[in-house]
Amino acid sequence: MIYVFKTNVSSKLRAERLKPELDKLFPLCKWNFDLEDRDHIFRLDSPVYTSEEISARLGQLGILHEELL
């Protein structure tokens, strides 16, 4: 399932710094940031995690986020 979140990650540098941690937290998933979008979108394709689990893990990294339905 694909989940989409509005985030406060607004720079390529910050996204690159988060990459190792996101790879660890979501090892079975494909993810990306769309920093050109005004909502700084984080998109995650997950076969295993729920939106609540994803939200909790993003919070662990200090990423402010809101799921877009």
Side-chain angles (χ1 to χ4, degrees):
M1 181 157 193
I2 297 175
Y3 299 93
V4 180
F5 294 86
K6 174 181 177 177
T7 74
N8 67 334
V9 178
S10 59
S11 74
K12 185 175 179 180
L13 179 62
R14 181 159 183 225
E16 288 173 359
R17 288 183 176 164
L18 288 167
K19 183 182 183 330
E21 294 300 318
L22 288 166
D23 285 342
K24 277 190 234 177
L25 289 175
F26 304 110
L28 303 173
C29 304
K30 294 179 185 176
W31 60 267
N32 65 58
F33 284 100
D34 180 355
L35 301 177
E36 292 184 20
D37 186 283
R38 67 184 179 103
D39 289 330
H40 313 297
I41 296 297
F42 175 73
R43 190 174 288 108
L44 183 125
D45 185 357
S46 173
V48 294
Y49 300 109
T50 65
S51 63
E52 292 82 11
E53 291 169 320
I54 296 164
S55 182
R57 290 169 187 232
L58 292 176
Q60 289 174 3
L61 296 176
I63 298 172
L64 299 178
H65 59 281
E66 176 185 332
E67 185 173 11
L68 301 176
L69 302 174

